């Protein structure tokens, strides 16, 4: 009996030590797993945010490139009667108003960004923002007139396009026309996207999965 008591104490101590070690190991594993889960969650959120912003920017750039190219070659160039018209037709101009849409078309074919009709609400804000900034720039300048055919100086500011000149009676029609042209360009890009890729998949929300969010 005297010899069995110490053996029992040793066995109990060993069992307690094993249990504590197992508990500490489980706690450390849970802490590491929780940290990994939090890091993965943050990475996933940043990835989704970046994808949404990329999608939003592309929904603005693609129709804008198409609309600007069409407006330049069908409206601005035929209406331009200035002597320096030929000087504007150079390598830089061709890159800005012709090759740009070719690059956008390649991007549209190769990327996996969904192009949806509701993105038109965001894309239509771009010409509104551009017009607002231009109006503020002209109004805040020292110029007393709305010039479109003179070289810019410190005393005057030039409208970037003749149809933006608010001193003209039909300026508001031109502004509305730009919005309509962008909407048509957006629909054209949407049709091209669906022709190349098909309709974007619709994910149905379930109890186990949250619905996907998208800016466009």
């Amino acid at each position: 009996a005297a010899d069995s008591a110490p053996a029992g104490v040793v066995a109990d101590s060993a069992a307690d030590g094993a249990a504590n070690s197992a508990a500490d190991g489980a706690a450390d594993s849970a802490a590491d797993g929780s940290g990994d889960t939090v890091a993965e969650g943050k990475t996933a959120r940043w990835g989704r945010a970046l994808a949404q912003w990329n999608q939003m920017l592309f929904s603005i750039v693609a129709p804008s490139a198409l609309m600007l190219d069409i407006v330049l070659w069908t409206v601005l160039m035929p209406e331009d009667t200035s002597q320096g018209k030929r000087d504007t037709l150079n390598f830089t101009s061709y890159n800005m108003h012709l090759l740009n849409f070719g690059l956008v078309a390649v991007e549209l074919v190769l990327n996996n960004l969904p192009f949806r009709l509701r993105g038109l609400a965001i894309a239509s804000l771009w010409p509104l923002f551009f017009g607002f900034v231009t109006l503020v720039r002209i109004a805040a300048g020292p110029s007393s007139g709305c010039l479109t055919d003179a070289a810019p100086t410190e005393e005057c500011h030039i409208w970037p396009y003749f149809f933006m000149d608010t001193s003209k009676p039909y300026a508001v029609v031109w502004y509305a026309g730009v919005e309509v042209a962008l909407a048509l360009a957006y629909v054209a890009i949407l049709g091209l996207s669906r022709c190349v890729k098909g309709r974007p998949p619709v994910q149905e929300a379930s109890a186990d999965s949250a619905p996907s969010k998208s800016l466009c």
Side-chain angles (χ1 to χ4, degrees):
D3 294 335
S4 63
V9 172
V10 172
D12 292 341
S13 298
D16 292 342
N20 291 334
S21 298
D24 292 341
D28 293 340
S29 299
D32 294 339
S34 177
D36 294 341
T37 302
V38 172
E40 291 175 358
K42 290 182 179 180
T43 302
R45 286 195 296 271
W46 277 107
R48 286 194 298 269
L50 180 61
Q52 290 170 359
W53 280 104
N54 192 17
Q55 180 186 0
M56 181 187 69
L57 292 176
F58 187 68
S59 69
I60 296 173
V61 170
S64 297
L66 177 60
M67 185 266 292
L68 287 175
D69 290 355
I70 293 177
V71 169
L72 176 74
W73 298 109
T74 63
V75 177
L76 297 181
M77 294 304 295
E79 292 291 332
D80 187 5
T81 58
S82 63
Q83 296 295 330
K85 176 179 179 179
R86 291 187 176 274
D87 296 335
T88 61
L89 298 177
N90 49 40
F91 180 75
T92 302
S93 178
Y94 291 134
N95 280 318
M96 293 174 59
H97 302 107
L98 194 60
L99 181 61
N100 64 334
F101 181 69
L103 297 176
V104 167
V106 172
E107 176 71 17
L108 181 66
V109 172
L110 296 182
N111 71 27
N112 196 30
L113 295 175
F115 213 87
R116 297 186 172 92
L117 183 60
R118 62 176 179 267
L120 178 59
I122 295 178
S124 62
L125 296 177
W126 169 242
L128 294 177
F129 177 75
F130 179 80
F132 175 77
V133 171
T134 301
L135 290 173
V136 171
R137 179 178 65 84
I138 296 295
S143 174
S144 59
C146 299
L147 306 177
T148 58
D149 55 355
T153 64
E154 295 181 357
E155 290 77 21
C156 70
H157 292 278
I158 308 302
W159 292 98
Y161 303 104
F162 71 89
F163 55 82
M164 296 187 68
D165 188 350
T166 54
S167 66
K168 306 299 181 181
Y170 297 107
V172 63
V173 178
W174 279 105
Y175 278 70
V178 170
E179 282 289 343
V180 173
L182 181 68
L184 294 176
Y186 190 95
V187 173
I189 295 293
L190 177 63
L192 179 61
S193 175
R194 291 183 175 179
C195 179
V196 173
K197 305 176 183 179
R199 289 179 176 271
V202 178
Q203 298 180 356
E204 296 182 356
S206 61
D208 298 333
S209 61
S212 60
K213 296 181 179 179
S214 175
L215 290 177
C216 302

